[in-house]
Amino acid sequence: MDTEAQHTERDLPSTPQPGPERGSRSARFPALSCRLEGPWRKAAALLAVCLLFLLLLSHFVVQPFLIPSGSMEPTLKVGDRVLVNKLAYRFGSQPARGDVVVFDGRGSFTDEAPEGNPVGRALRSAVAALGLTEPSGNVYVKRVVGVGGDRIVCCDKGGRVQVNGTPVTEEYVHPGDAPSKAPFDIVVPDGTLFVLGDHRSRSSDSRDHLGSPGGGMVPVDHVVGRVDWIGWPFGRWSGVGGSGAFARVPAPGGAHG
């Protein structure tokens, strides 16, 4: 009988003992936990520093910009990611005729107020600043055709735009497009720019806003920067630069510009 009692006692489950076995996996294997968490923390910190650096670089120096439409073809195509030089006009320089610029169109091209809540706008701006999505609908990319004081007339007998009385041969205009189908004769106010898209038949630009508040003229202080390079896709790596089309155009006062 003593033997049977001993067997019965052995078959009973042992009483769980307190200690690391009843805790989490991390508590049971503290060394393994440290090895897993340490590198991940360092990687997360490094990623945060890199993102912060890219955002600061984008905000102050060079900003990627995703081209959302064909209004600047053939110079810029849909899906191109260009690099906008934000220092180009920071030290006394001004936008020049022929420059391709990115600008905020509120007050000149649109009266739209920012949409959505502040947090959503901030997140969208941060993602757009990295060139991962297209910018808000208030941001545009166009070519400068006239600066403050210029008189711009369209068109002469040869179908060319005239700036300060000089016909301009715009080699960058999309093949098959006329410089403009709508005639105009305007003087650009000081401190503003007259801008057009290279794909004239598909571009909504200063021509379309001549009767709007601001007259379609872009204030110089609304310019984000100058498009200097195409950075993506790899097959389109190139500089953008200005244009020699305006080399013979005189300054508004008559001096050679």
Side-chain angles (χ1 to χ4, degrees), residues 183-251:
F184 54 83
D185 184 346
I186 58 99
V187 174
V188 183
D190 288 339
T192 66
L193 306 170
F194 183 86
V195 297
L196 299 175
D198 290 356
H199 200 340
R200 300 287 161 84
S201 63
R202 294 184 56 186
S203 175
S204 177
D205 45 44
S206 290
R207 298 169 299 170
D208 301 282
H209 299 280
L210 293 175
S212 304
M217 307 298 167
V218 178
V220 172
D221 58 7
H222 284 200
V223 174
V224 175
R226 184 179 66 208
V227 178
D228 280 352
W229 309 277
I230 299 174
W232 181 267
F234 292 130
R236 290 198 26 90
W237 276 5
S238 62
V240 176
S243 170
F246 300 90
R248 298 175 60 85
V249 173

Side-chain angles (χ1 to χ4, degrees), residues 34-109:
C34 292
R35 286 197 297 271
L36 289 175
E37 292 180 5
W40 281 110
R41 282 199 297 267
K42 291 180 181 178
L46 180 61
L47 178 61
V49 170
C50 290
L51 287 175
L52 178 61
F53 173 77
L54 289 175
L55 287 173
L56 290 174
L57 185 70
S58 174
H59 186 75
F60 293 107
V61 184
V62 176
Q63 178 177 344
F65 181 88
L66 176 63
I67 301 300
S69 75
S71 69
M72 281 297 294
E73 292 176 340
T75 306
L76 304 175
K77 297 184 178 181
V78 177
D80 281 352
R81 283 174 171 80
V82 299
L83 300 179
V84 179
N85 181 357
K86 303 184 83 168
L87 299 179
Y89 309 123
R90 289 283 178 87
F91 303 104
S93 297
Q94 295 288 313
R97 305 181 198 98
D99 287 356
V100 178
V101 298
V102 170
F103 60 93
D104 185 338
R106 283 175 290 186
S108 56
F109 277 36

